[in-house]
Amino acid sequence: MTDHSSSLAEKSGPSRLWWGIVVLVGASAALWPSHAVSTAAFVIWGLVSVAPIVIPGIVLAAWIVASGADGRIAGAFEGRLGPSVLAASVIGAVTPVCGVTVLPMMVGLLAAGVPLAPIMAFWLSSPITDPAMLATTAATLGWAFALGKTLGAFGIGVFGGAVTAFFSRRPWALSALRDTGLARKLITQRCGDDVPFQPRVWRSERRRAVFRRQFMATSRLILICLIPAFAAEYALNATLTPGSLAAYVGKDQWWAIPAAVFVGAPAYIDGYAALPLTRALIDNGMSQGAAMAFLISGGVVSIWGAMAIAPVLKLKPFLLYLALAVSGSLAAGYVFEWLA
């Protein structure tokens, strides 16, 4: 795909999503006119209530990209295996590294000879949270969930990296990339190359422009996800009776956490959209541990996440990724259930 066609795709994607929201809202108003005003009020109030916490997270995410801090990530993956896994897990859990370009960066590092273990640690921890997601989770589900999710992201990264390190001498681990045109193309698209770190982003017009673009892109993404999610939360609360889910994913059911991972995660679409839906599910009987397992596994086991990695990894590394993601999500759910 050419740069021009990529740009057109990037522009048309959000437009289609916005039109989808308009159509969804219009259809809902036509089918359930008595709830249209209440739904709109619920959505507006939801956005207002999370804004004071979400906006600082968006600002931090934009600064990280504009300052070039994301370009320093590669160095953390080099050196001794143990420290590099810990560093990759920390960075993945707290840093929004260029959004969709995480994949090219990881492919480039693998092609450069960086071991699979720290790459796996980062790959497992990075989709789960970042500053904007941390803030949105705190505003929607509370700080216990927000901090638990961040610690879960770090834990699953360390766990995945440590397990992968045991296979570091295997031929498939030493050469994890598929030899395909897509992988070769991604190697040339690493994020943050040759961009020096400069925390004072306001001193450069170029960095100010990057900051504005990143801020608007993240804000647009959150709005696109949260508006229909808050509407769906209202619909769930209006449809389900309190405690109606307790028999399926409640605290007293041993299968609640596995069900959240194996049933809910593959259908998971977006982390921001999942938060209001998860709040509604908790209000209607979902256990705390099942909710945490759903949120963590959704980022790493969803169809959308797996589809991004499958074309560039060989079968054995890809299956290892899925196994680590599922087992780590289950562990996070059980630990949070025990502590909650």
Side-chain angles (χ1 to χ4, degrees), residues 29 55 69 82 86 94 98 114 128 142 171-172 217 236 260 263 276 319 322:
I55 291 175
L86 289 175
V94 302
C98 297
V114 174
I128 298 172
W172 55 264
L236 278 175
V263 177
L319 292 178
L322 291 181

Side-chain angles (χ1 to χ4, degrees), residues 140-160:
T140 309
L141 297 174
W143 279 106
F145 258 97
L147 295 176
K149 192 177 178 185
T150 302
L151 291 174
F154 171 72
I156 197 172
V158 172
F159 166 71

